[in-house]
Amino acid sequence: MSQCPVHQEAEPQAAFPIARQCPFLPPREYRAFQQHDGPSKVHMWDGKEAWLFTRYDDVRAVLADNRFSGDPSTPGFPSLSAARNAVLELEPAFIRMDPPQHGHFRRMLTKEFMVKKVSAMRPMIESIFNRLVDELLAKGPPANLVEDLFLPLTSEVIAWLLDVPREDHAFFQEQSRLKVLLDVGPEVPREASERILGYLDTLITAREQDAEKRDDLLSRLIVEQVRPGHLSHRELVIMAELLLMAGHETTANQMALGVYSFLTNPDQLARLRAEPALLRNAVEEMLRFHTIVHYNAFRVAREDVEVAGQLIRAGEGVIALISAANHDPQAFAEPDRFDITRKAGHHVAFSYGVHQCLGQPLARTELQVVFGALFERLPQLRFAVPVDEVCSKGDHFVQGLQTLPVTW
Ligand code: HEM
């Protein structure tokens, strides 16, 4: 039993993950959890229990507290599914490491994703976007915006940064898609990851021959980190995989869901058209509303920790649900309403604490480029199928749309 003087040990209340009633909103149960103080206990598919945090303040408190480990090899780390375990058992990138090891790797990349550096990429992003829209217009409607615009755009941007050949984009898009599936056998994400690591190993081995003559992110890391011995070849391969995967699938999904939100909320689209200065707000609201990386923040207590009046014992698993936090009425009034005029900048869609998304300036810039121009370039944009046939990806690790069939 809990030693906490304030709260009784909660009984398990639900199995996690909890299915969504509406594919575009968090499950209603999260709101019920938010009504009582402290976390709730949930049971996982493997029969183990974890503490579920759903309130905005509590989620941030957990994510800011380094007594909780994000390293899945720590005993007690909660398991989402067998497929997810298979991914987490692979050699870890720094996203799965704790301080101080985590900071050692992350610091090598900080300058690459600083706002100033990313701002300089904006013309490149705009030119890729405009070329892809020109191609769409030349081909004519209908189109699937996920495959015909957003995945190519975000893949080209990350591939430009890493200087990955264009002809390989379809390959790494497909491997990224397979790696985040949750309801498949463990071999599916494991083999996808092995294929992409093998690919990057070959690419980086070749790059090591002439890195000094090149000016891409991988070459800079070879010169500045690998050559002096701060980073091994293998560690660079794993870091490159993280960037490649995190850098395109996420943002493309966010774009698709953003379009969905505008087409299903025409008043908000009219508002954006009338007041383009709302663009930045609109992007933050999209990030908050959909919180596409909704299952990211699994942790385990490395020592006894009290959060929100609840004693979490060393070795107990914790889930700090950013998707619930971003729909907590205490932090966002009428949270289930998509409202581009709200000040949503304090959302936690990029997580919080040491693992807060490194690529967020890049993601924001890409989203601002797309939503600053898409509805101007395709002013008649609308769904090409009845709205209830637009399918969400369901409970994938990263939320998105299966396809986004549109016409104009
Ligand atoms: C809308 C787009 C994006 C969203 C919603 C998003 C969300 C997130 C979230 C929630 C985390 C924390 C994961 C965790 O705690 O386990 C994260 C981490 C990370 N993201 Fe993003 N991300 C996006 C785009 C990007 C892009 C474009 C990049 C560029 C390469 C990127 C690179 C990373 C990296 C490297 C980490 C690990 C940070 C660390 O552990 O220190 N992300 N992202």
Side-chain angles (χ1 to χ4, degrees), residues 234-254:
R234 184 65 183 168
E235 286 164 346
L236 177 56
V237 169
I238 291 168
M239 191 184 266
E241 190 213 14
L242 171 63
L243 295 176
L244 203 53
M245 297 280 193
H248 78 281
E249 168 90 16
T250 43
T251 319
N253 281 314
Q254 183 66 64

Side-chain angles (χ1 to χ4, degrees), residues 126-137:
E126 285 170 346
S127 110
I128 298 172
F129 170 78
N130 282 320
R131 172 170 48 76
L132 290 167
V133 175
D134 288 344
E135 285 168 20
L136 275 187
L137 289 170

Side-chain angles (χ1 to χ4, degrees), residues 262 265-273 337-341:
F262 276 113
N265 292 276
D267 59 321
Q268 298 299 305
L269 179 54
R271 194 80 202 249
L272 179 65
R273 282 191 156 129
R337 199 158 57 85
F338 179 68
D339 174 5
I340 65 166
T341 64

Side-chain angles (χ1 to χ4, degrees), residues 12 15 21 65 74 156 202 233-234 238 259 279 323 375 378 391:
Q21 293 82 20
D65 192 330
T74 312
E156 278 203 42
T202 309
H233 168 89
R234 184 65 183 168
I238 291 168
V259 171
L279 176 63
S323 50
F375 299 110
L378 300 170
C391 290

Side-chain angles (χ1 to χ4, degrees), residues 257-389:
L257 286 169
V259 171
Y260 179 89
S261 289
F262 276 113
L263 295 186
T264 51
N265 292 276
D267 59 321
Q268 298 299 305
L269 179 54
R271 194 80 202 249
L272 179 65
R273 282 191 156 129
E275 284 179 67
L278 283 173
L279 176 63
R280 279 168 191 266
N281 253 14
V283 164
E284 298 311 313
E285 175 65 348
M286 267 179 245
L287 288 160
R288 176 200 75 83
F289 189 84
H290 294 290
T291 315
I292 55 168
V293 188
H294 54 153
Y295 293 144
N296 74 303
F298 282 41
R299 300 286 187 266
V300 57
R302 288 191 292 164
E303 55 188 90
D304 290 0
V305 187
E306 193 178 316
V307 188
Q310 178 64 53
L311 179 71
I312 312 288
R313 294 224 170 263
E316 288 186 335
V318 162
I319 302 169
L321 268 187
I322 55 175
S323 50
N326 278 343
H327 284 256
D328 178 352
Q330 298 297 322
F332 303 96
E334 292 186 75
D336 295 347
R337 199 158 57 85
F338 179 68
D339 174 5
I340 65 166
T341 64
R342 87 162 76 230
K343 299 272 175 271
H346 57 297
H347 66 72
V348 284
F350 289 120
S351 194
Y352 192 71
V354 292
H355 289 290
Q356 189 167 151
C357 179
L358 178 72
Q360 56 186 289
L362 179 57
R364 285 194 162 102
T365 305
E366 291 181 68
L367 288 163
Q368 286 164 11
V369 166
V370 166
F371 289 94
L374 182 70
F375 299 110
E376 295 306 314
R377 297 229 46 208
L378 300 170
Q380 303 298 323
L381 189 72
R382 57 195 185 278
F383 294 124
V385 295
V387 62
D388 53 6
E389 287 176 24

